[in-house]
Amino acid sequence: MGSNAETRRSGCPISCSLDLLGDKWSLLIVRDMVMLRKHYFKEFLASAEGIATNILTDRLNRLEGSGIISKQPDPENRRQIVYTLTEKGVALIPVLVELMSWGKIYAGTTSVDRDKARRMQQDRRYKQRVIRELTEGCTSTPGRS
Amino acid sequence: MGSNAETRRSGCPISCSLDLLGDKWSLLIVRDMVMLRKHYFKEFLASAEGIATNILTDRLNRLEGSGIISKQPDPENRRQIVYTLTEKGVALIPVLVELMSWGKIYAGTTSVDRDKARRMQQDRRYKQRVIRELTEGCTSTPGRS
């Protein structure tokens, strides 16, 4: 499902967002770029969730098609493509932070302190700081960290 | 894809959230309950996006299976089922608000004032108030408004 008016299910902005992002993988690629500073196909492929090559290719094309990421030849190796977030992609950070916050409490992750997660869920200033720091990280010069 | 450890792709809380919510319809049903105060199968079916009956049945079962919604016989008509959000479902309101905020600016909705949407996107206190009001609306006695 694409991004233009013909393929929108309705004018509701939540529905329009899900037209672009409503699948199990797109936001994980954005997460990889925001939180793990990944920029290369091979890096996305190596993420813990084990995305298949064809799905990754499809999702990168869709994310580029909807203006969430852009791709350029890597300046250090022009046979390689480097993927970066656009302003539209960076603006998804608050969505990621809320999904992370909800997931820590409710989605059955075992690796976190749930009480601490609940305190963070309530703490808007903490979330705001996380969003600001991640945004700054994404809008500085891209590259492997 | 279910909610328990066997079907989780990784321990990442964003990935775990998307295991439950990563599709085009689940969060629209939650939106219907939060923002449009819908509680009945027929009401969800009538939403602008035109969900198919079999998909709606599947998503309601999954949302109930993962503890995001619960269902009871309608006290006013016991042959009818009424769906309500659980605490876990109500806790998704910040995710919806961020998807709405992002969609208003970036997902090609035409019906909104984009400058106003940008100001709201920056205004954490405004978002916090929206989240609080929606949460209060969802935790008061359910029913048609």
Side-chain angles (χ1 to χ4, degrees):
Chain A
M1 203 174 284
S3 62
N4 47 20
E6 295 76 46
T7 54
R8 269 194 254 131
R9 292 171 294 171
S10 79
C12 165
I14 295 173
S15 174
C16 292
S17 295
L18 293 172
D19 287 343
L20 303 181
L21 300 165
D23 69 75
K24 299 210 188 302
W25 297 105
S26 298
L27 282 170
L28 288 190
I29 296 170
V30 179
R31 172 210 63 183
D32 278 357
M33 298 176 87
V34 169
M35 301 194 175
L36 306 173
R37 304 292 187 91
K38 295 188 175 189
H39 294 284
Y40 297 93
F41 191 93
K42 269 190 301 188
E43 291 179 318
F44 303 130
L45 207 58
S47 287
E49 292 80 14
I51 191 167
T53 306
N54 60 331
I55 295 178
L56 177 55
T57 301
D58 176 77
R59 293 307 184 279
L60 287 170
N61 285 339
R62 285 169 186 253
L63 288 168
E64 193 201 2
S66 52
I68 291 168
I69 65 174
S70 66
K71 63 180 185 186
Q72 299 87 29
D74 185 359
E76 288 171 27
N77 171 4
R78 300 195 56 88
R79 290 166 58 201
Q80 217 175 203
I81 299 291
V82 59
Y83 296 92
T84 49
L85 289 168
T86 62
E87 181 210 324
K88 183 172 178 173
V90 171
L92 283 169
I93 290 174
V95 176
L96 288 182
V97 168
E98 293 299 350
L99 282 171
M100 181 175 66
S101 175
W102 186 83
K104 279 183 178 172
I105 306 172
Y106 296 105
T109 45
T110 51
S111 58
V112 293
D113 177 338
R114 204 160 289 187
D115 286 339
K116 194 175 160 198
R118 270 180 207 275
R119 285 196 301 276
M120 286 178 188
Q121 170 77 350
Q122 304 298 328
D123 185 347
R124 305 299 301 177
R125 275 200 296 187
Y126 170 77
K127 279 189 194 168
Q128 207 171 343
R129 200 175 69 236
V130 171
I131 290 167
R132 194 175 55 241
E133 286 172 4
L134 289 171
T135 304
E136 283 168 8
C138 285
T139 47
S140 62
T141 318
R144 291 172 199 257
S145 53
Chain B
M1 202 173 283
S3 63
N4 45 21
E6 295 77 45
T7 53
R8 269 193 254 132
R9 292 171 294 171
S10 79
C12 164
I14 295 173
S15 174
C16 292
S17 295
L18 293 172
D19 287 343
L20 303 181
L21 300 165
D23 68 76
K24 298 209 187 307
W25 297 105
S26 298
L27 282 170
L28 287 189
I29 297 170
V30 178
R31 171 208 65 182
D32 278 356
M33 299 175 86
V34 169
M35 302 194 175
L36 307 174
R37 304 293 187 91
K38 296 188 174 188
H39 294 284
Y40 298 93
F41 191 93
K42 270 190 301 188
E43 291 178 319
F44 304 130
L45 207 58
S47 287
E49 292 80 15
I51 191 167
T53 307
N54 60 331
I55 295 179
L56 177 56
T57 302
D58 176 76
R59 293 306 184 279
L60 287 169
N61 285 338
R62 284 169 186 253
L63 288 169
E64 193 201 2
S66 52
I68 291 167
I69 65 173
S70 65
K71 62 180 186 186
Q72 299 88 29
D74 185 359
E76 287 169 29
N77 172 3
R78 301 198 51 90
R79 290 166 58 201
Q80 216 175 203
I81 299 290
V82 59
Y83 295 92
T84 49
L85 289 168
T86 62
E87 180 209 327
K88 183 172 178 173
V90 171
L92 283 168
I93 290 172
V95 176
L96 288 183
V97 168
E98 294 299 349
L99 282 171
M100 180 174 67
S101 175
W102 186 84
K104 279 182 178 172
I105 306 172
Y106 296 105
T109 46
T110 51
S111 58
V112 293
D113 177 339
R114 205 161 288 187
D115 286 338
K116 193 173 161 200
R118 271 179 208 275
R119 285 197 301 276
M120 285 180 190
Q121 170 77 350
Q122 305 298 328
D123 186 345
R124 305 301 301 178
R125 275 201 295 188
Y126 170 78
K127 279 189 194 167
Q128 205 172 342
R129 198 175 70 236
V130 171
I131 290 167
R132 194 176 54 241
E133 287 172 4
L134 288 171
T135 304
E136 283 168 7
C138 286
T139 47
S140 62
T141 318
R144 292 173 199 257
S145 52

